[in-house]
Amino acid sequence: MSFDFDTPIDRRGSDSLKWSRYAGRDVVPLWVADMDFAAPPAVLDALHHRIDHGVFGYAKAWPSLMEAVQDHLQGEYGWQIEPSWIVWIPGVVAAFNVACRAVGGTGAGVFTTTPVYPPFLTAPEHSGRHLVTLPLVRNGRRWQWDFAATDKALAESRARLWLLCHPHNPVGRVWNEDELQEIARLAEKHDLVVCSDEIHCGLVLDPATKHKPLAALSPAMAKRTITLMAPSKTFNIPALYSAFAVIPDPALRRAFSRVMDGIMPHINTLGLVATEAAYRDCGEWHGALIDYLRGNARRVEETVATMPGLSVTPVEATYLAWIDCRELCAAKGIDNPQRFFEKAGVGLSDGCDFGLPSFVRLNFGCPRATLDEGLARMAAAINALP
Ligand SMILES: Cc1ncc(COP(=O)(O)O)c(C=O)c1O
């Protein structure tokens, strides 16, 4: 079966957050992390079927759904989980805010590395916790950890929780087994719970790279890990708000569920229906998507390499490219590259929001023609500079 990712679907004038930001303006929106593709046919069929039933009472996860999740995690990542470890959540951001409240007391530290998806930086303070950050390091073509500095930061802070982004938004790394082992070693040494946001785990582009859930490293690591996953990014259904936490340790799971009580709504039934279909029936679509996104990633990497003052590291996972504009900014006196490119008709995400100015994030989860138009506008804007 072939799938069409090339033909643009007009999202202007729809409910799209991404496109409505630039309503009435000639700006190609390559910012917020959803894709401009329709959901997989099997997801659409399952949703139609459920809507035809006509009754939308309160929902509860059912056995074939639980089985689809278990089989998916086993098949994709070799991770065997028990159904009782799953806590359904209406969104991953909400869940890492819950994790902040469930671990440590008022004022306890929450550790994360920058740059990072912006809600990592705000969740701790929303929860009466104290944010502790450390920069990731760009080493040529790769973003890496400074583990000696991490060890020191954990020793000096009162951090009880580590918010990990794996694969990482925005730098696009899939943390490898050695890096995960080191994260696990430090979490144990300093006695931290790790909340591992693995929402992008289905978007590994590099065929030689495999996603490994942090909790799958060892039973000891599983005990101190809250893993957050969702079909939302991979199958492009984020507004259906269906996600889940996998929490093997009963006491940690109880603490997490207690914080949710009365505040977090149940997941809507359409989200659950879509989750089952996505995990069980969309393997072929998923493979085709990854091939297409890999092509887009290479297009971004090759084109950015021709733009003076810009550089980008290879994207191992996600449909997000983290573009280093520091040289351009310094050479041309540009203080905010997001605004510079927006004026030139390309809507990117601003590195400042991720804790690192002079960078922009480009979402290439779109038809190639849309991407090419955005890249051409960026190149033209740079070439037109005096
Ligand atoms: C790393 C990461 N976590 C969470 C989210 C959002 O999750 P949700 O929409 O389920 O709250 C995103 C969206 O871009 C993300 O990149």
Side-chain angles (χ1 to χ4, degrees), residues 32-33 90-94 96 117 120 165 167 169 197 199-200 230 232-233 238 241-243 320 361:
V32 69
V92 166
V93 169
F96 54 70
Y117 176 56
F120 278 62
C165 196
N169 169 11
D197 176 352
I199 194 170
H200 292 283
S232 54
K233 296 287 156 190
Y241 283 102
S242 172
L320 308 164
R361 193 191 70 176

Side-chain angles (χ1 to χ4, degrees), residues 34-382:
D34 69 29
M35 300 189 283
D36 291 331
F37 307 132
V43 167
L44 297 177
D45 286 349
L47 290 171
H48 282 300
H49 183 74
R50 179 64 188 84
I51 284 171
D52 287 344
H53 183 259
V55 182
F56 297 99
Y58 294 117
K60 179 175 181 302
W62 50 92
S64 62
L65 165 63
M66 299 302 272
E67 217 174 275
V69 173
Q70 277 180 288
D71 291 351
H72 183 77
L73 298 189
Q74 174 74 58
E76 293 288 314
Y77 314 115
W79 189 25
Q80 200 176 347
I81 65 157
E82 300 290 331
S84 64
W85 298 354
I86 295 177
V87 181
W88 290 96
I89 46 177
V92 166
V93 169
F96 54 70
N97 279 270
V98 170
C100 286
R101 288 164 168 83
V103 177
T106 307
V110 177
F111 174 75
T112 199
T113 45
T114 55
V116 75
Y117 176 56
F120 278 62
L121 303 173
T122 49
E125 285 184 14
H126 289 159
S127 313
R129 302 296 187 264
H130 163 65
L131 176 69
V132 180
T133 62
L134 186 77
L136 290 169
V137 182
R138 181 173 170 185
N139 193 350
R141 284 169 58 74
R142 202 159 221 227
W143 285 88
Q144 290 178 323
W145 291 83
D146 180 341
F147 282 118
T150 304
D151 191 13
K152 190 160 174 284
L154 295 178
E156 287 170 359
S157 67
R158 291 186 299 125
R160 299 268 49 87
L161 179 70
W162 186 330
L163 285 182
L164 178 71
C165 196
H166 170 47
H168 192 279
N169 169 11
V171 306
R173 281 291 319 279
V174 181
W175 306 121
N176 63 35
E177 185 113 9
D178 289 346
E179 289 165 318
L180 293 174
Q181 290 289 1
E182 194 56 17
I183 289 165
R185 192 185 69 77
L186 291 174
E188 286 186 28
K189 176 176 172 188
H190 297 286
D191 193 21
L192 271 82
V193 169
V194 183
C195 177
S196 185
D197 176 352
E198 304 190 9
I199 194 170
H200 292 283
C201 63
L203 291 165
V204 177
L205 305 182
D206 177 358
T209 302
K210 271 240 157 264
H211 175 83
K212 170 120 187 160
L214 176 74
L217 279 188
S218 69
M221 200 54 221
K223 258 184 87 60
R224 57 172 71 248
T225 303
I226 298 168
T227 305
L228 306 177
M229 288 184 167
S232 54
K233 296 287 156 190
T234 310
F235 300 94
N236 206 32
I237 47 173
L240 291 180
Y241 283 102
S242 172
F244 54 94
V246 182
I247 313 177
D249 182 65
L252 188 55
R253 194 165 61 244
R254 267 195 306 277
F256 186 91
S257 301
R258 240 191 330 265
V259 175
M260 286 176 56
D261 252 3
I263 298 175
M264 290 274 259
H266 295 274
I267 306 188
N268 74 83
T269 197
L270 296 180
L272 294 173
V273 165
T275 299
E276 179 175 4
Y279 283 161
R280 198 189 51 215
D281 302 326
C282 298
E284 226 185 311
W285 182 92
H286 182 208
L289 171 79
I290 295 296
D291 289 344
Y292 194 84
L293 290 177
R294 191 185 303 118
N296 277 3
R298 296 299 95 89
R299 185 75 127 236
V300 172
E301 287 157 17
E302 285 161 16
T303 313
V304 167
T306 67
M307 297 183 195
L310 299 195
S311 65
V312 66
T313 50
V315 185
E316 293 173 351
T318 76
Y319 45 77
L320 308 164
W322 183 238
I323 302 175
D324 188 340
C325 308
R326 286 175 296 187
E327 269 184 49
L328 177 75
C329 292
K332 303 292 181 183
I334 294 169
D335 63 20
N336 185 317
Q338 191 277 338
R339 261 183 266 137
F340 170 74
F341 287 119
E342 193 175 74
K343 278 200 200 112
V346 191
L348 304 169
S349 300
D350 187 343
C352 294
D353 299 336
F354 297 73
L356 195 52
S358 301
F359 281 74
V360 289
R361 193 191 70 176
L362 182 152
N363 174 349
F364 56 82
C366 58
R368 203 149 299 154
T370 309
L371 175 62
D372 283 344
E373 177 63 25
L375 291 169
R377 289 180 184 199
M378 289 172 70
I382 295 172

